[in-house]
Short mmCIF file of all heavy atoms in Angstrom, two decimals:
data_model
loop_
_atom_site.label_atom_id
_atom_site.label_comp_id
_atom_site.label_asym_id
_atom_site.label_seq_id
_atom_site.Cartn_x
_atom_site.Cartn_y
_atom_site.Cartn_z
N GLU A 123 89.10 -9.42 -47.94
CA GLU A 123 89.15 -9.10 -46.52
C GLU A 123 88.77 -10.33 -45.70
O GLU A 123 88.04 -11.21 -46.17
CB GLU A 123 88.15 -7.96 -46.22
CG GLU A 123 88.28 -7.35 -44.84
CD GLU A 123 87.29 -6.20 -44.63
OE1 GLU A 123 86.65 -5.75 -45.61
OE2 GLU A 123 87.15 -5.77 -43.48
N THR A 124 89.26 -10.42 -44.48
CA THR A 124 88.82 -11.45 -43.55
C THR A 124 88.55 -10.82 -42.19
O THR A 124 89.20 -9.83 -41.83
CB THR A 124 89.86 -12.58 -43.40
OG1 THR A 124 89.36 -13.54 -42.45
CG2 THR A 124 91.20 -12.06 -42.91
N LYS A 125 87.60 -11.38 -41.48
CA LYS A 125 87.33 -10.93 -40.12
C LYS A 125 87.75 -11.99 -39.09
O LYS A 125 87.39 -11.89 -37.92
CB LYS A 125 85.84 -10.58 -39.96
CG LYS A 125 85.47 -9.33 -40.75
CD LYS A 125 83.99 -8.97 -40.61
CE LYS A 125 83.68 -7.69 -41.40
NZ LYS A 125 82.25 -7.37 -41.41
N ASP A 126 88.50 -12.97 -39.56
CA ASP A 126 89.02 -13.99 -38.65
C ASP A 126 89.85 -13.31 -37.57
O ASP A 126 90.81 -12.59 -37.88
CB ASP A 126 89.90 -14.98 -39.44
CG ASP A 126 90.34 -16.18 -38.61
OD1 ASP A 126 90.61 -16.01 -37.40
OD2 ASP A 126 90.43 -17.28 -39.18
N PRO A 127 89.50 -13.50 -36.29
CA PRO A 127 90.24 -12.80 -35.23
C PRO A 127 91.73 -13.14 -35.19
O PRO A 127 92.53 -12.34 -34.69
CB PRO A 127 89.53 -13.26 -33.95
CG PRO A 127 88.78 -14.50 -34.33
CD PRO A 127 88.42 -14.33 -35.78
N ARG A 128 92.10 -14.26 -35.77
CA ARG A 128 93.52 -14.64 -35.77
C ARG A 128 94.37 -13.76 -36.68
O ARG A 128 95.60 -13.79 -36.59
CB ARG A 128 93.67 -16.11 -36.20
CG ARG A 128 93.06 -17.10 -35.23
CD ARG A 128 93.15 -18.53 -35.76
NE ARG A 128 92.37 -18.69 -36.99
CZ ARG A 128 92.28 -19.84 -37.65
NH1 ARG A 128 92.91 -20.91 -37.22
NH2 ARG A 128 91.54 -19.93 -38.76
N ARG A 129 93.70 -12.98 -37.54
CA ARG A 129 94.48 -12.15 -38.48
C ARG A 129 95.39 -11.18 -37.75
O ARG A 129 96.49 -10.86 -38.22
CB ARG A 129 93.53 -11.39 -39.42
CG ARG A 129 92.73 -10.27 -38.77
CD ARG A 129 91.65 -9.76 -39.71
NE ARG A 129 90.92 -8.60 -39.22
CZ ARG A 129 89.90 -8.67 -38.34
NH1 ARG A 129 89.53 -9.84 -37.85
NH2 ARG A 129 89.29 -7.57 -37.96
N HIS A 130 94.96 -10.70 -36.58
CA HIS A 130 95.78 -9.76 -35.82
C HIS A 130 97.03 -10.43 -35.24
O HIS A 130 98.01 -9.75 -34.94
CB HIS A 130 94.94 -9.14 -34.70
CG HIS A 130 93.71 -8.43 -35.17
ND1 HIS A 130 93.75 -7.36 -36.04
CD2 HIS A 130 92.40 -8.66 -34.91
CE1 HIS A 130 92.52 -6.95 -36.28
NE2 HIS A 130 91.68 -7.71 -35.61
N LEU A 131 96.94 -11.73 -35.08
CA LEU A 131 98.05 -12.47 -34.49
C LEU A 131 98.95 -13.12 -35.52
O LEU A 131 99.91 -13.81 -35.17
CB LEU A 131 97.49 -13.56 -33.55
CG LEU A 131 96.65 -13.07 -32.37
CD1 LEU A 131 96.02 -14.25 -31.65
CD2 LEU A 131 97.51 -12.27 -31.40
N ALA A 132 98.63 -12.92 -36.81
CA ALA A 132 99.37 -13.59 -37.87
C ALA A 132 100.89 -13.42 -37.78
O ALA A 132 101.64 -14.37 -37.97
CB ALA A 132 98.87 -13.13 -39.24
N PRO A 133 101.40 -12.19 -37.47
CA PRO A 133 102.86 -12.04 -37.37
C PRO A 133 103.47 -12.91 -36.27
O PRO A 133 104.62 -13.34 -36.39
CB PRO A 133 103.04 -10.54 -37.06
CG PRO A 133 101.77 -9.89 -37.52
CD PRO A 133 100.70 -10.91 -37.27
N VAL A 134 102.70 -13.13 -35.20
CA VAL A 134 103.20 -13.94 -34.08
C VAL A 134 103.00 -15.43 -34.35
O VAL A 134 103.91 -16.24 -34.11
CB VAL A 134 102.47 -13.54 -32.77
CG1 VAL A 134 102.91 -14.43 -31.62
CG2 VAL A 134 102.70 -12.07 -32.45
N ILE A 135 101.82 -15.78 -34.87
CA ILE A 135 101.51 -17.19 -35.11
C ILE A 135 102.54 -17.83 -36.01
O ILE A 135 102.97 -18.97 -35.78
CB ILE A 135 100.09 -17.33 -35.73
CG1 ILE A 135 99.02 -16.95 -34.69
CG2 ILE A 135 99.85 -18.76 -36.23
CD1 ILE A 135 97.61 -16.92 -35.24
N ARG A 136 102.98 -17.12 -37.06
CA ARG A 136 103.91 -17.74 -38.01
C ARG A 136 105.27 -18.04 -37.39
O ARG A 136 106.04 -18.84 -37.92
CB ARG A 136 104.06 -16.87 -39.25
CG ARG A 136 104.84 -15.58 -39.07
CD ARG A 136 104.99 -14.90 -40.41
NE ARG A 136 105.81 -13.69 -40.33
CZ ARG A 136 106.67 -13.32 -41.26
NH1 ARG A 136 106.88 -14.08 -42.32
NH2 ARG A 136 107.35 -12.21 -41.14
N LYS A 137 105.57 -17.38 -36.26
CA LYS A 137 106.84 -17.65 -35.58
C LYS A 137 106.72 -18.80 -34.59
O LYS A 137 107.72 -19.37 -34.17
CB LYS A 137 107.31 -16.39 -34.85
CG LYS A 137 107.68 -15.26 -35.79
CD LYS A 137 108.07 -14.00 -35.03
CE LYS A 137 108.42 -12.87 -36.00
NZ LYS A 137 108.67 -11.59 -35.30
N VAL A 138 105.48 -19.15 -34.26
CA VAL A 138 105.25 -20.20 -33.26
C VAL A 138 104.80 -21.51 -33.91
O VAL A 138 105.22 -22.59 -33.49
CB VAL A 138 104.18 -19.72 -32.24
CG1 VAL A 138 103.90 -20.80 -31.19
CG2 VAL A 138 104.60 -18.42 -31.58
N LEU A 139 103.92 -21.41 -34.93
CA LEU A 139 103.38 -22.58 -35.60
C LEU A 139 103.64 -22.51 -37.10
O LEU A 139 103.47 -21.46 -37.71
CB LEU A 139 101.86 -22.67 -35.38
CG LEU A 139 101.37 -22.84 -33.94
CD1 LEU A 139 99.86 -22.65 -33.88
CD2 LEU A 139 101.73 -24.23 -33.42
N LYS A 140 104.06 -23.62 -37.68
CA LYS A 140 104.30 -23.66 -39.12
C LYS A 140 103.00 -23.74 -39.91
O LYS A 140 102.91 -23.27 -41.05
CB LYS A 140 105.18 -24.87 -39.49
CG LYS A 140 106.58 -24.82 -38.92
CD LYS A 140 107.41 -23.77 -39.61
CE LYS A 140 108.86 -23.82 -39.12
NZ LYS A 140 109.63 -22.65 -39.61
N SER A 141 101.97 -24.35 -39.30
CA SER A 141 100.71 -24.50 -40.02
C SER A 141 99.55 -24.62 -39.05
O SER A 141 99.73 -24.89 -37.85
CB SER A 141 100.75 -25.74 -40.93
OG SER A 141 100.74 -26.93 -40.15
N LEU A 142 98.35 -24.42 -39.61
CA LEU A 142 97.09 -24.56 -38.89
C LEU A 142 96.19 -25.48 -39.72
O LEU A 142 96.49 -25.75 -40.89
CB LEU A 142 96.42 -23.18 -38.72
CG LEU A 142 97.13 -22.17 -37.81
CD1 LEU A 142 96.53 -20.78 -38.00
CD2 LEU A 142 97.05 -22.60 -36.35
N PRO A 143 95.08 -25.96 -39.18
CA PRO A 143 94.16 -26.78 -39.99
C PRO A 143 93.75 -26.06 -41.27
O PRO A 143 93.55 -24.85 -41.29
CB PRO A 143 92.96 -26.99 -39.06
CG PRO A 143 93.54 -26.91 -37.68
CD PRO A 143 94.63 -25.86 -37.77
N GLY A 144 93.64 -26.81 -42.35
CA GLY A 144 93.37 -26.23 -43.66
C GLY A 144 91.96 -25.71 -43.83
O GLY A 144 91.07 -25.97 -43.00
N VAL A 145 91.76 -24.96 -44.91
CA VAL A 145 90.45 -24.33 -45.18
C VAL A 145 89.85 -24.81 -46.50
O VAL A 145 88.85 -24.28 -46.96
CB VAL A 145 90.58 -22.79 -45.21
CG1 VAL A 145 90.96 -22.27 -43.84
CG2 VAL A 145 91.58 -22.33 -46.27
N GLY A 146 90.46 -25.82 -47.13
CA GLY A 146 89.99 -26.28 -48.44
C GLY A 146 88.71 -27.09 -48.36
O GLY A 146 88.26 -27.51 -47.29
N ASN A 147 88.12 -27.32 -49.52
CA ASN A 147 86.96 -28.19 -49.69
C ASN A 147 85.71 -27.77 -48.92
O ASN A 147 84.97 -28.59 -48.39
CB ASN A 147 87.33 -29.64 -49.37
CG ASN A 147 88.03 -30.31 -50.54
OD1 ASN A 147 87.42 -30.63 -51.54
ND2 ASN A 147 89.34 -30.47 -50.42
N ASP A 148 85.48 -26.46 -48.88
CA ASP A 148 84.20 -25.95 -48.35
C ASP A 148 83.20 -26.03 -49.50
O ASP A 148 82.95 -25.07 -50.21
CB ASP A 148 84.39 -24.51 -47.85
CG ASP A 148 83.11 -23.92 -47.26
OD1 ASP A 148 82.24 -24.71 -46.86
OD2 ASP A 148 83.00 -22.69 -47.22
N ILE A 149 82.64 -27.24 -49.67
CA ILE A 149 81.78 -27.56 -50.81
C ILE A 149 80.54 -28.29 -50.31
O ILE A 149 80.65 -29.28 -49.58
CB ILE A 149 82.52 -28.44 -51.84
CG1 ILE A 149 83.81 -27.73 -52.33
CG2 ILE A 149 81.63 -28.80 -53.02
CD1 ILE A 149 84.71 -28.62 -53.18
N ALA A 150 79.36 -27.82 -50.69
CA ALA A 150 78.11 -28.45 -50.25
C ALA A 150 77.87 -29.78 -50.97
O ALA A 150 77.36 -30.73 -50.39
CB ALA A 150 76.94 -27.50 -50.47
N ASP A 151 78.23 -29.84 -52.24
CA ASP A 151 78.01 -31.02 -53.05
C ASP A 151 78.98 -32.13 -52.64
O ASP A 151 80.19 -31.95 -52.76
CB ASP A 151 78.22 -30.67 -54.54
CG ASP A 151 77.93 -31.83 -55.47
OD1 ASP A 151 77.68 -32.95 -54.98
OD2 ASP A 151 77.96 -31.62 -56.69
N PRO A 152 78.49 -33.27 -52.16
CA PRO A 152 79.41 -34.34 -51.73
C PRO A 152 80.26 -34.90 -52.86
O PRO A 152 81.28 -35.54 -52.62
CB PRO A 152 78.46 -35.41 -51.17
CG PRO A 152 77.12 -35.11 -51.74
CD PRO A 152 77.08 -33.63 -51.94
N GLN A 153 79.84 -34.65 -54.11
CA GLN A 153 80.64 -35.10 -55.26
C GLN A 153 81.79 -34.14 -55.58
O GLN A 153 82.70 -34.50 -56.32
CB GLN A 153 79.74 -35.21 -56.50
CG GLN A 153 78.55 -36.14 -56.32
CD GLN A 153 78.96 -37.56 -56.01
OE1 GLN A 153 79.86 -38.10 -56.66
NE2 GLN A 153 78.32 -38.17 -55.03
N GLY A 154 81.75 -32.94 -55.04
CA GLY A 154 82.78 -31.95 -55.33
C GLY A 154 84.04 -32.20 -54.53
O GLY A 154 83.97 -32.42 -53.32
N LYS A 155 85.18 -32.19 -55.18
CA LYS A 155 86.45 -32.44 -54.50
C LYS A 155 87.52 -31.49 -55.04
O LYS A 155 87.81 -31.48 -56.23
CB LYS A 155 86.88 -33.90 -54.71
CG LYS A 155 88.23 -34.24 -54.10
CD LYS A 155 88.23 -34.09 -52.58
CE LYS A 155 89.58 -34.50 -51.99
NZ LYS A 155 89.71 -34.12 -50.56
N GLU A 156 88.07 -30.69 -54.16
CA GLU A 156 89.10 -29.71 -54.53
C GLU A 156 90.48 -30.24 -54.15
O GLU A 156 90.67 -30.78 -53.06
CB GLU A 156 88.83 -28.40 -53.79
CG GLU A 156 89.85 -27.30 -54.08
CD GLU A 156 89.66 -26.08 -53.18
OE1 GLU A 156 89.14 -26.22 -52.05
OE2 GLU A 156 90.06 -24.99 -53.61
N ILE A 157 91.44 -30.08 -55.06
CA ILE A 157 92.83 -30.37 -54.71
C ILE A 157 93.36 -29.17 -53.94
O ILE A 157 93.63 -28.12 -54.51
CB ILE A 157 93.69 -30.64 -55.96
CG1 ILE A 157 93.19 -31.88 -56.70
CG2 ILE A 157 95.16 -30.81 -55.57
CD1 ILE A 157 93.96 -32.18 -57.99
N ALA A 158 93.43 -29.32 -52.63
CA ALA A 158 93.87 -28.23 -51.75
C ALA A 158 94.59 -28.82 -50.55
O ALA A 158 94.36 -29.98 -50.18
CB ALA A 158 92.67 -27.40 -51.29
N TYR A 159 95.45 -28.03 -49.96
CA TYR A 159 96.20 -28.52 -48.80
C TYR A 159 95.30 -28.72 -47.59
O TYR A 159 94.35 -27.96 -47.38
CB TYR A 159 97.32 -27.53 -48.44
CG TYR A 159 98.34 -27.32 -49.53
CD1 TYR A 159 98.94 -26.08 -49.71
CD2 TYR A 159 98.70 -28.36 -50.39
CE1 TYR A 159 99.88 -25.87 -50.71
CE2 TYR A 159 99.63 -28.16 -51.39
CZ TYR A 159 100.22 -26.92 -51.55
OH TYR A 159 101.15 -26.72 -52.53
N ASP A 160 95.63 -29.74 -46.80
CA ASP A 160 94.88 -29.96 -45.56
C ASP A 160 95.46 -29.16 -44.40
O ASP A 160 94.95 -29.21 -43.28
CB ASP A 160 94.82 -31.45 -45.20
CG ASP A 160 96.20 -32.06 -45.00
OD1 ASP A 160 97.20 -31.33 -45.11
OD2 ASP A 160 96.26 -33.27 -44.74
N ARG A 161 96.52 -28.39 -44.69
CA ARG A 161 97.10 -27.50 -43.69
C ARG A 161 97.21 -26.09 -44.26
O ARG A 161 97.41 -25.91 -45.46
CB ARG A 161 98.50 -27.96 -43.26
CG ARG A 161 98.57 -29.36 -42.69
CD ARG A 161 97.82 -29.51 -41.40
NE ARG A 161 98.35 -28.67 -40.31
CZ ARG A 161 97.81 -28.60 -39.10
NH1 ARG A 161 96.72 -29.29 -38.81
NH2 ARG A 161 98.35 -27.82 -38.16
N LEU A 162 97.06 -25.10 -43.41
CA LEU A 162 97.19 -23.69 -43.79
C LEU A 162 98.57 -23.21 -43.33
O LEU A 162 98.82 -23.08 -42.14
CB LEU A 162 96.11 -22.85 -43.12
CG LEU A 162 96.10 -21.35 -43.43
CD1 LEU A 162 95.58 -21.11 -44.83
CD2 LEU A 162 95.28 -20.60 -42.41
N PRO A 163 99.49 -22.98 -44.27
CA PRO A 163 100.84 -22.54 -43.89
C PRO A 163 100.83 -21.11 -43.36
O PRO A 163 100.35 -20.20 -44.03
CB PRO A 163 101.63 -22.67 -45.19
CG PRO A 163 100.63 -22.65 -46.28
CD PRO A 163 99.34 -23.13 -45.72
N THR A 164 101.34 -20.92 -42.17
CA THR A 164 101.13 -19.64 -41.48
C THR A 164 101.98 -18.49 -42.02
O THR A 164 101.54 -17.35 -42.00
CB THR A 164 101.41 -19.81 -39.98
OG1 THR A 164 102.72 -20.35 -39.79
CG2 THR A 164 100.39 -20.73 -39.34
N SER A 165 103.18 -18.78 -42.49
CA SER A 165 104.00 -17.69 -43.05
C SER A 165 103.38 -17.19 -44.35
O SER A 165 103.27 -15.98 -44.58
CB SER A 165 105.44 -18.15 -43.29
OG SER A 165 106.22 -17.09 -43.82
N ALA A 166 102.96 -18.14 -45.19
CA ALA A 166 102.30 -17.75 -46.44
C ALA A 166 100.99 -17.00 -46.16
O ALA A 166 100.66 -16.04 -46.86
CB ALA A 166 102.03 -18.99 -47.29
N ALA A 167 100.27 -17.44 -45.14
CA ALA A 167 99.01 -16.76 -44.79
C ALA A 167 99.27 -15.32 -44.36
O ALA A 167 98.49 -14.41 -44.67
CB ALA A 167 98.30 -17.53 -43.68
#
Side-chain angles (χ1 to χ4, degrees):
E123 191 178 349
T124 179
K125 291 180 179 174
D126 187 323
R128 294 176 296 180
R129 71 191 186 278
H130 302 300
L131 299 172
V134 177
I135 291 174
R136 72 176 184 141
K137 294 177 181 174
V138 180
L139 297 169
K140 295 289 185 190
S141 70
L142 293 167
V145 295
N147 279 287
D148 181 22
I149 302 171
D151 183 354
Q153 303 299 315
K155 177 63 178 169
E156 179 188 26
I157 297 178
Y159 299 146
D160 59 2
R161 302 295 297 177
L162 181 74
T164 55
S165 180

